[in-house]
Amino acid sequence: MKRHQALNIDATRMSSPMSKSNLSSTSTSSDTEYSAEKLTEVDTSIRLPKTWIREIFLVIILISSQLVTLIGAVQGVPIAAYLRERYRIEPAKGGLVGWANASYMLGSAVMVLIAGKLGDLNGHKRMVVFGWIWLTIWSLITGFSYYDRGNQAFYYTARALQGIGSGFIVPNSLAIMGRTYFEPGLKKTIIFSIFGMMTSTGFVIGTTFSSLFAQLTKWAWNYWALACVCVLYTVGSILFIPPDNIVHKPNSKPLYKRFDYLGAITGVSGLVLFDVAFTQASALGWSPPHTYITLIIGVILILIAMFVDWRVDDPLVPLQHLRADVVVILICVYFGFLSFVIWANWFWQFYELVHNDSPLRIAAKLVPLAIGSIPAAIFTVTCLQLNIKAPTMMVISMVCFLVPNILMATVTPNTTYWAQPFVSSIIAPFAVDITVPTATLLFSDSVRKESQGIAASLIITVISYAISIGPSYTAMVMWYVAPLGNDSTPGGFTHSLHSNFICGIVLSGIGLVTAVIAGLIDYKITRTHCGDIPPPLSKIGRKSKK
C-alpha cells in the first residue's frame, strides 16, 4: 500500500448508514494503518468540554467564525458610494471599487490552505487564536485608513491583510468542529448546518451595521467595531476551546521539514495574480499588456503548484487522493457562489443606483436572507438525516442559486420589491445554507481525523475565492457588454443589470450541470465498488491488482 493511502476517502462514510460496530472497526483499522505509516507527527485530537455550558460556548465561538468572516467580507458593500467619491473613481472604472471586498476575500482565500495545513501540524486552537488577534489588529488599521483620503491602495492593502485573519480562523474552527464531532450523527449535522446559516446571516448583519455606521457617523467605525468584537472572540477562544493534544510521534521528521513550501509559494502567488488580473481587467479591460501577462503568469504558477502537490510526499493539497466526485462537488460550490455574489452585488446596485435607496434601506430589503436561513437549515438537516446523497443536495442548491438570478433578470425600474426581488431573497438562503453544510460534511466525513484541517481548507478556499473574484466577472460584463459609463440613466443601467444577472444564470447553470455530473459519477462509483473504498484521482483508469 502506498504511503498516502491513509488520506483516501473513507467509503463507509459516503455510502448508506452502517452499524456502529462496522463504523468502529473500520475507523480502528484505518487509524492503526495511519499511525503505523507515521504520516503525522502530531496528534491534535480535540476532546469534548466537560460541561454542557462550556460546550455551548465552544460551538458558538466556532460557528461565529463564518459569521464574522462574512461580516468582514461585505463591509465594503454599503460604503461603495463613499469610496467612489473619496477616491474619485469614474463609473466606467467601477470595478476598482470591487477591491473593497475582493481584497479581503482574496487575502482569506490564499491563506486558508496554508492555515489549515499549519493547524494540522501545530494545533488548530493556536491558529484560531492567532487569527483573531491578527484580524483585530488589521481591522483597527483598516479603520484608520479613513484618514488617508488620497491613497486607495493603502485601504485595499489593509483589507487584504485583514482577510488573512479570517483565513486562519475559519478553516481551523471548522477543523476543530470536525475533530470534536468526528462521528457522523444528528448533533454533527445540526452544528454544521448552523455553521452554514452564518453565511447568509453574516451578509445581512455585515451590510446592516456597515450601513448604520456609514450613515450616522464615519465609516471607519465599521472596522473599529469589528476589532472590538474580535477581542471578545480572542478571549473566548482562549477560554473555551480545549487545548490541542499535541504529541510528537517518534522517528518523525521535524515539522518545518514536512511543510510543502514550494507548493504553498507557487499556489498562493498564482491565485493572487489570477485574481488581480481579473480585477484589473474589470476596470481597465484586457488591452493593457500587464493585465494579460499577469493572468498568464498566475496560471503557470497554479499549474506548477498542482504538479508539485502531485509529486511530493506530504502535499499542501493531496490532489492524488481526492475522489473524482468530490472534486466535481468543489466545482459546483465554486460556480454556485459565483452566481450568488453576482445576485447579491447587483441586487444592492439595483436599489442603490436605480431607486436611490439609502444603504440602510437596502440592507433592510435583504433581511429575508437571514430569516430564510432558518427554514433552509432545518430543511438541510432533515435531508441529510434522511441520507439524501450529496450530489442530490447539490442539484437542489444549484437550482436555488439559479432561480434568484432568473427572477432579478426580469425586473424593471418600476418593479415592486414584493415581486421578484422579495421572492429571490427568500430562495437565495436555501442555496447557500444547503451548499455549505453539505460540502463541509462531505469532506469532514471523507477524511481521517488528522486531515480535518486540509479538508476544511479546500471548501473555504473555493468559497472565499469565488466571493473574491465574482465581482470581477460582472464588472467585465459591464466593461464589454453593457458599459455603465456610456449610459447612466435608469433604463441604461437596467440593461447592464440584466446582462449581469444573465451572467449569473450562466454560471449557476454550469454549476447545475456539474452537480448532475457529480450524481452520475456517484452512481457509477456505487455500482462499481459496492461499498469498497473508491479510487482517488491517481487510480482512475487503472486496473486494480488482486
Side-chain angles (χ1 to χ4, degrees):
M1 179 174 293
K2 290 193 174 184
R3 189 176 182 180
H4 291 303
Q5 185 66 31
L7 292 177
N8 285 349
I9 301 299
D10 188 349
T12 58
R13 300 184 184 276
M14 307 290 295
S15 57
S16 58
M18 55 188 302
S19 65
K20 290 185 178 180
S21 59
N22 289 340
L23 181 58
S24 175
S25 62
T26 303
S27 60
T28 302
S29 61
S30 301
D31 293 342
T32 303
E33 175 187 7
Y34 195 96
S35 60
E37 296 180 9
K38 297 183 178 65
L39 291 180
T40 300
E41 276 80 39
V42 294
D43 177 12
T44 54
S45 301
I46 303 291
R47 296 180 180 179
L48 276 173
K50 295 181 179 180
T51 64
W52 64 270
I53 296 179
R54 293 186 65 87
E55 183 177 358
I56 289 176
F57 277 105
L58 170 65
V59 172
I60 290 174
I61 290 170
L62 295 178
I63 65 176
S64 294
S65 63
Q66 181 74 344
L67 176 71
V68 175
T69 294
L70 264 295
I71 290 175
V74 301
Q75 283 179 313
V77 173
I79 65 173
Y82 300 91
L83 296 176
R84 277 193 290 265
E85 180 182 354
R86 174 176 290 268
Y87 300 127
R88 299 176 182 177
I89 298 175
E90 301 174 5
K93 295 184 179 181
L96 291 176
V97 181
W99 272 115
N101 303 306
S103 56
Y104 178 94
M105 293 310 298
L106 177 60
S108 176
V110 299
M111 191 53 60
V112 163
L113 286 174
I114 295 176
K117 187 68 173 181
L118 289 175
D120 283 339
L121 295 177
N122 297 291
H124 296 292
K125 179 178 180 177
R126 294 178 178 180
M127 298 298 103
V128 169
V129 173
F130 172 79
W132 284 119
I133 294 173
W134 182 282
L135 186 57
T136 302
I137 294 171
W138 282 101
S139 294
L140 287 171
I141 295 174
T142 305
F144 285 114
S145 69
Y146 173 85
Y147 296 101
D148 191 358
R149 295 179 177 274
N151 187 4
Q152 57 181 308
F154 175 60
Y155 171 72
Y156 295 147
T157 302
R159 285 284 284 161
L161 292 170
Q162 187 188 12
I164 289 176
S166 295
F168 273 90
I169 296 167
V170 179
N172 286 288
S173 296
L174 199 54
I176 293 173
M177 288 166 53
R179 290 175 184 271
T180 306
Y181 304 98
F182 183 62
E183 299 298 336
L186 179 60
K187 180 186 285 190
K188 180 175 184 178
T189 303
I190 292 175
I191 292 173
F192 275 71
S193 296
I194 296 175
F195 179 88
M197 279 179 57
M198 296 300 104
T199 305
S200 50
T201 304
F203 184 92
V204 174
I205 294 176
T207 53
T208 300
F209 280 93
S210 183
S211 301
L212 275 172
F213 288 123
Q215 289 185 218
L216 302 180
T217 182
K218 59 186 68 175
W219 54 258
W221 277 103
N222 187 22
Y223 301 101
W224 295 336
L226 179 63
C228 295
V229 172
C230 291
V231 170
L232 296 178
Y233 278 108
T234 302
V235 175
S237 298
I238 295 173
L239 294 178
F240 294 106
I241 297 180
D244 299 304
N245 182 25
I246 302 179
V247 180
H248 292 270
K249 297 183 183 296
N251 302 323
S252 60
K253 294 181 181 179
L255 297 181
Y256 70 89
K257 290 186 177 181
R258 288 195 58 212
F259 190 77
D260 180 16
Y261 295 99
L262 182 58
I265 294 172
T266 54
V268 167
S269 301
L271 289 174
V272 170
L273 292 178
F274 189 87
D275 194 299
V276 168
F278 270 87
T279 304
Q280 289 298 105
S282 67
L284 305 174
W286 290 103
S287 299
H290 70 271
T291 304
Y292 57 80
I293 290 175
T294 302
L295 177 65
I296 293 171
I297 296 175
V299 171
I300 292 173
L301 288 174
I302 291 173
L303 293 175
I304 292 174
M306 294 175 66
F307 176 78
V308 170
D309 284 350
W310 195 274
R311 302 290 296 180
V312 299
D313 290 337
D314 192 9
L316 188 66
V317 180
L319 296 175
Q320 293 192 54
H321 309 287
L322 293 177
R323 264 177 39 190
D325 60 326
V326 175
V327 174
V328 175
I329 292 294
L330 277 177
I331 298 173
C332 290
V333 173
Y334 178 73
F335 281 103
F337 270 87
L338 278 178
S339 65
F340 175 77
V341 170
I342 291 173
W343 173 84
N345 182 44
W346 287 96
F347 186 102
W348 189 280
Q349 298 261 17
F350 175 67
Y351 282 104
E352 181 182 43
L353 299 180
V354 176
H355 289 262
N356 294 317
D357 284 349
S358 66
L360 192 57
R361 186 180 178 88
I362 303 172
K365 291 179 177 179
L366 285 169
V367 167
L369 267 178
I371 298 176
S373 65
I374 298 174
I378 295 173
F379 174 80
T380 303
V381 170
T382 303
C383 290
L384 292 175
Q385 286 301 114
L386 292 175
N387 297 305
I388 296 178
K389 291 190 173 183
T392 304
M393 296 291 290
M394 294 305 294
V395 168
I396 297 173
S397 68
M398 291 303 123
V399 171
C400 294
F401 279 121
L402 177 65
V403 173
N405 281 283
I406 294 176
L407 291 173
M408 290 302 295
T410 62
V411 299
T412 67
N414 298 322
T415 300
T416 176
Y417 165 75
W418 300 104
Q420 296 100 310
F422 174 74
V423 175
S424 69
S425 64
I426 289 292
I427 298 174
F430 280 82
V432 174
D433 297 342
I434 292 174
T435 300
V436 174
T438 299
T440 51
L441 279 170
L442 172 68
F443 273 71
S444 176
D445 291 347
S446 299
V447 299
R448 306 287 186 248
K449 184 179 290 188
E450 294 82 356
S451 299
Q452 289 293 314
I454 195 61
S457 297
L458 284 171
I459 295 295
I460 301 302
T461 296
V462 171
I463 294 175
S464 300
Y465 203 73
I467 295 175
S468 172
I469 204 171
S472 301
Y473 286 9
T474 62
M476 281 191 293
V477 173
M478 293 283 288
W479 182 270
Y480 288 103
V481 179
L484 176 61
N486 296 338
D487 186 1
S488 57
T489 62
F493 180 77
T494 303
H495 172 60
S496 302
L497 184 88
H498 290 165
S499 299
N500 280 280
F501 281 121
I502 289 172
C503 177
I505 292 170
V506 172
L507 292 173
S508 54
I510 295 174
L512 178 59
V513 172
T514 308
V516 173
I517 293 174
L520 296 176
I521 294 175
D522 180 76
Y523 175 74
K524 183 177 180 180
I525 288 176
T526 303
R527 290 196 59 186
T528 303
H529 298 278
C530 300
D532 295 333
I533 297 178
L537 292 177
S538 58
K539 298 294 185 181
I540 293 178
R542 301 182 186 179
K543 295 181 178 179
S544 59
K545 295 181 181 180
K546 296 184 178 180

